[in-house]
Amino acid sequence: METVDTHAHIQGEDFNDDRPEALARAAEAGVRRIVAIGADMPTSEAAVILADAEEGVIATVGVHPHDAKTFNEAQWERLKALAARPKVRAIGEIGLDYHYDFSPRPAQQTCFQGQIALAAHLGLPAVIHMREAEDDVYHVLKGAMAANGPAEDGGRGRIGPVIMHCFLGGPAEAERWLALGCYLGIGGAVTFKKMDALREAVKAIPLDRLLLETDCPYMTPAPHRGQRNEPAYIPLVCAAVAKAKGLSEAEVAAATTLNAEAVFGRW
């Protein structure tokens, strides 16, 4: 049974001691395709390097809202160059985080809007981080989608599919993003005992709008909570989604794999 990890920080420092082994464990678990997610310039560079070296890995590049305060013109030019690389398939992880406010909100908003514009210019998907900033994220995305140009020139001028990474809400929150046309990334939290509202949302979300992700090394699913997360644990997420939806794991694996290809292309 093949599954895809659509959001992994496998290129990060947490895997420096055993990255080849982690990739091998993932492949043994049926997770042979991974999206390495950039969250700042060093991790974006590392994601591209890993993707170039590993057939089963593609990359995204982007600057997380936590780092918006230090995003400068030189980084912006480098980001645009990285985004043009063939194995870079999305802009992200980008968005707004009003929970921590590690960067001032105006800086977060400028950084987010600029990167959304870059995704639209290149016709790439966007991977969204959002925390306690639902309305502002919604209005930026709605505006970007409304401004989509004609579907020509390889999609340039049109923002690609939008992925709401690490979706943790209930059915009403899911409906808001589904109505906008987004995909919802479901991770290890779906296995947590107190996440009944999330499981209710998963039950209601159409199968063709779900993506599986680990967000490794974070958000480790049960029964491994407290340990480092890794792509090999995607089958645990798949099993929890299947249980919530009353489907077989094979059905969820097949559908979410097709969804990953619809968002990021084949690799």
Side-chain angles (χ1 to χ4, degrees):
M1 185 177 74
E2 179 185 1
T3 50
V4 179
D5 187 350
T6 62
H7 195 111
H9 300 281
I10 186 73
Q11 80 279 20
E13 293 180 356
D14 292 85
F15 291 94
N16 281 353
D17 292 337
D18 68 339
R19 189 172 294 107
E21 292 81 3
L23 291 170
R25 286 190 293 271
E28 186 175 354
V31 188
R32 297 181 179 86
R33 288 186 284 176
I34 297 169
V35 184
I37 302 290
D40 55 23
M41 294 314 299
T43 58
S44 294
E45 296 265 8
V48 174
I49 291 169
L50 182 64
D52 285 345
E54 297 286 343
E55 182 179 0
V57 178
I58 57 173
T60 77
V61 297
V63 174
H64 192 283
H66 289 346
D67 297 286
K69 62 181 179 291
T70 59
F71 191 45
N72 57 38
E73 187 62 30
Q75 291 178 338
W76 177 243
E77 292 303 317
R78 181 56 183 154
L79 181 66
K80 289 191 289 186
L82 287 173
R85 299 281 287 271
K87 290 196 78 176
V88 171
R89 301 293 182 84
I91 303 299
E93 162 180 3
I94 63 176
L96 300 173
D97 191 313
Y98 294 170
H99 177 78
Y100 287 108
D101 277 330
F102 287 158
S103 290
R105 293 183 184 184
Q108 291 189 48
Q109 291 159 3
T110 298
C111 188
F112 180 37
Q113 290 166 359
Q115 291 179 96
I116 285 292
L118 177 62
H121 173 70
L122 296 174
L124 288 175
V127 180
I128 306 301
H129 171 101
M130 178 189 66
R131 193 158 183 189
E132 297 178 17
E134 289 83 356
D135 287 346
D136 284 357
V137 168
Y138 178 84
H139 291 304
V140 170
L141 294 177
K142 185 177 181 181
M145 293 174 177
N148 270 349
E152 54 190 29
D153 191 23
R156 288 176 178 266
R158 298 177 59 86
I159 192 168
V162 172
I163 305 96
M164 302 307 296
H165 153 59
C166 193
F167 178 74
L168 298 175
E173 292 87 350
E175 181 54 37
R176 185 182 200 190
W177 302 112
L178 291 169
L180 198 59
C182 301
Y183 288 78
L184 301 180
I186 306 299
V190 75
T191 71
F192 298 172
K193 288 183 179 179
K194 295 183 179 180
M195 296 301 287
D196 289 337
L198 174 59
R199 284 185 284 274
E200 283 300 309
V202 167
K203 181 179 179 181
I205 296 167
L207 190 55
D208 64 0
R209 302 285 283 281
L210 284 170
L211 295 169
L212 305 181
E213 59 175 56
T214 58
D215 197 20
C216 67
Y218 317 109
M219 297 293 290
T220 310
H224 302 290
R225 293 190 71 180
Q227 304 172 30
R228 183 193 68 178
N229 200 2
E230 60 179 76
Y233 295 156
I234 276 286
L236 296 171
V237 179
C238 181
V241 169
K243 183 177 180 180
K245 295 190 75 63
L247 299 172
S248 71
E249 293 175 36
E251 287 176 296
V252 172
T256 54
T257 295
L258 288 175
N259 296 345
E261 293 175 351
V263 171
F264 297 106
R266 294 188 62 85
W267 75 100

